[in-house]
Amino acid sequence: MDFTLSPEQQQIRDMVATFVDEEVVPRAAEIDHEDDFPRDLVAEMGELGLMGMPFPEEYGGAGLDYHAYAIGLEEISRGSGGLGTIVAAHTSLAGNMLYEFGDDAQKEAYLTPLAEGRDVGAFALSEPGAGSDVPAMETTAEPIGAGAEEDEPEAYRLNGGKLWISNGSVAETVVVFAKTDPEAGNEGISSFVVRPDEDDGFHVEGTEDKLGDKGCPTAELRFDGLEIPADRRLGEEGRGFVHALKTLNGGRITIAARGVGIARAAFEEARDYATEREQFGQPIGEFQAIKHKLADMDTKIQAAKLLMHRAADNKIRGEDYIKEAAQAKLYASEISREVANEGIQIHGGYGYTKDFPAERFYRDAKLNEIYEGTSEVLRNTIGDQLLE
């Protein structure tokens, strides 16, 4: 087992860390306070190749492996949890849907501008009554007209709505899941490319005022008779449920990376504070109680990183990684909250104020346990894999 980073991986880590320290960390409190989409930072990341890290260069990506991608997202999330979500939703969800299930023409038209950072992507799956229960979705895509191919429609008419959509109000490309056959259950769901600026009937109903994850708009979307040509469908009809599960499985690796990044930020801030803050004539870091907290925090972070990279390694090797990705996301999500909580405790009363970033790390960390598979659902997934 070789844990040494390759020269390319080290270069990516150092480049992203420098960008984060110089451009993101100084803006993080402002992003959190204003809750505005940081379009200028997203554009800079596009220029650096950070909006298409795992995609081939032929489609505008950086051609990085999943270890390097996870390392990059970890560093971005260390600077801003909201910025980490923006990149993860754009790349791991919207981008990966196009890369894995789009044809060559779709990749050229829609993946390339995403990977180059010219467009922002979103992944529209959840609905008010269909979060973890995906087949309960009510959004429909009615086939209309007759296409050139036998049994193929000319277009689809989308009606319905989506909720909790990261980047949903700012995206130029939204991958939407809808029922093409409402009577077919899991096998009646298909996936489509929607272009908000081009498609009549696309409406942003509003964005959520969230506990954390600020800067990444979480939108409610509505489709009102929105017609799209059949060549915007990804893959065959009825394969959308499978597409969603496969995409979310890969996305869990990067949510683990977000958890590790936030936990690192909380730990480093707490460690620095413990060396500076004096009580009873010495830095509080000299007290055994604080030393033990820091020891536990770092140990949890290192364990989460190993789980994250194990899942990434399985993905790179083409091996099954359902259990590994679920375990990485589950553990990294929970320890990010635990580490952030201890960070507040080490800061004492200051940690409960907005004068210090400790409370922001806690708010940003909590989301990891909810989106892209709740901790409860992930435990079911892991248990199912163990009993197969």
Side-chain angles (χ1 to χ4, degrees):
M1 299 174 67
D2 185 3
F3 297 104
T4 306
L5 298 181
S6 70
E8 182 183 47
Q9 291 164 348
Q10 292 179 34
Q11 183 180 18
I12 290 298
R13 180 197 61 193
D14 295 346
M15 181 268 285
V16 182
T18 298
F19 169 75
V20 167
D21 288 335
E22 293 180 355
E23 303 294 335
V24 179
V25 172
R27 292 266 305 277
E30 175 193 350
I31 291 170
D32 181 69
H33 182 262
E34 300 298 329
D35 198 15
D36 289 332
F37 180 70
R39 192 171 291 278
D40 59 329
L41 288 178
V42 173
E44 287 186 58
M45 290 193 295
E47 293 173 3
L48 292 172
L50 303 182
M51 298 302 283
M53 286 185 271
F55 303 126
E57 293 179 9
E58 66 181 296
Y59 296 118
L64 303 180
D65 66 23
Y66 242 70
H67 290 301
Y69 173 36
I71 289 167
L73 190 57
E74 174 191 330
E75 291 292 341
I76 292 167
S77 302
R78 176 177 64 82
S80 166
L83 203 58
T85 299
I86 289 169
V87 177
H90 165 94
T91 307
S92 300
L93 301 184
N96 262 330
M97 277 291 297
L98 284 157
Y99 179 62
E100 293 290 343
F101 309 112
D103 59 31
D104 289 341
Q106 290 169 331
K107 290 178 185 178
E108 182 64 31
Y110 309 118
L111 176 60
T112 298
L114 290 180
E116 292 178 346
R118 291 184 284 117
D119 286 357
V120 172
F123 179 88
L125 177 66
S126 296
E127 298 183 8
S132 299
D133 184 10
V134 173
M137 72 171 60
E138 296 181 356
T139 299
T140 59
E142 177 190 0
I144 54 176
E149 299 289 333
E150 186 177 354
D151 297 328
E152 281 288 315
E154 179 183 9
Y156 291 87
R157 183 180 294 115
L158 270 64
N159 284 286
K162 298 291 180 179
L163 196 59
W164 319 119
I165 310 306
S166 299
N167 299 340
S169 60
V170 296
E172 285 82 14
T173 293
V174 182
V175 176
V176 176
F177 295 82
K179 287 187 173 179
T180 43
D181 184 352
E183 306 302 321
N186 293 352
E187 297 180 355
I189 298 171
S190 302
S191 53
F192 303 88
V193 175
V194 171
R195 300 280 289 175
D197 292 339
E198 303 170 18
D199 301 333
D200 292 336
F202 182 96
H203 304 282
V204 176
E205 297 289 82
T207 55
E208 303 296 335
D209 185 8
K210 300 172 296 185
L211 176 70
D213 199 46
K214 303 291 189 174
C216 177
T218 301
E220 179 179 359
L221 308 178
R222 178 169 58 86
F223 318 116
D224 186 9
L226 187 155
E227 292 189 11
I228 53 175
D231 63 10
R232 297 265 204 90
R233 192 186 69 219
L234 294 172
E236 300 175 2
E237 259 193 25
R239 297 292 292 170
F241 182 72
V242 174
H243 293 174
L245 292 183
K246 289 183 176 180
T247 302
L248 288 169
N249 190 40
R252 286 167 184 159
I253 297 172
T254 46
I255 300 306
R258 181 183 184 271
V260 170
I262 293 171
R264 278 185 54 208
F267 166 74
E268 291 166 9
E269 191 74 22
R271 181 188 58 192
D272 291 348
Y273 182 81
T275 63
E276 297 166 2
R277 171 70 167 168
E278 292 191 0
Q279 290 284 269
F280 304 102
Q282 64 180 3
I284 63 171
E286 294 299 319
F287 293 104
Q288 187 180 66
I290 302 300
K291 281 184 180 179
H292 285 187
K293 286 184 185 297
L294 292 170
D296 287 344
M297 291 161 76
D298 186 59
T299 300
K300 289 175 180 178
I301 291 168
Q302 300 310 317
K305 289 183 73 168
L306 289 174
L307 285 171
M308 174 185 77
H309 284 295
R310 183 181 68 165
D313 201 56
N314 278 24
K315 180 175 173 58
I316 291 168
R317 294 173 185 273
E319 299 175 3
D320 183 85
Y321 62 97
I322 295 173
K323 177 171 72 74
E324 288 75 13
Q327 288 176 327
K329 197 268 189 187
L330 171 66
Y331 186 73
S333 295
E334 295 192 345
I335 70 99
S336 66
R337 173 182 47 78
E338 293 168 6
V339 169
N341 182 64
E342 289 288 52
I344 292 175
Q345 197 70 17
I346 289 171
H347 279 77
Y350 290 115
Y352 202 65
T353 71
K354 290 186 180 293
D355 294 330
F356 287 74
E359 58 84 33
R360 167 163 54 86
F361 301 141
Y362 185 88
R363 290 186 286 108
D364 283 346
K366 179 58 190 174
L367 179 61
N368 292 328
E369 297 178 282
I370 297 171
Y371 69 170
E372 294 194 37
T374 65
S375 293
E376 293 76 13
V377 166
L378 292 180
R379 285 186 165 87
N380 284 341
T381 299
I382 295 166
D384 290 343
Q385 291 291 309
L386 292 171
L387 296 173
E388 278 190 353

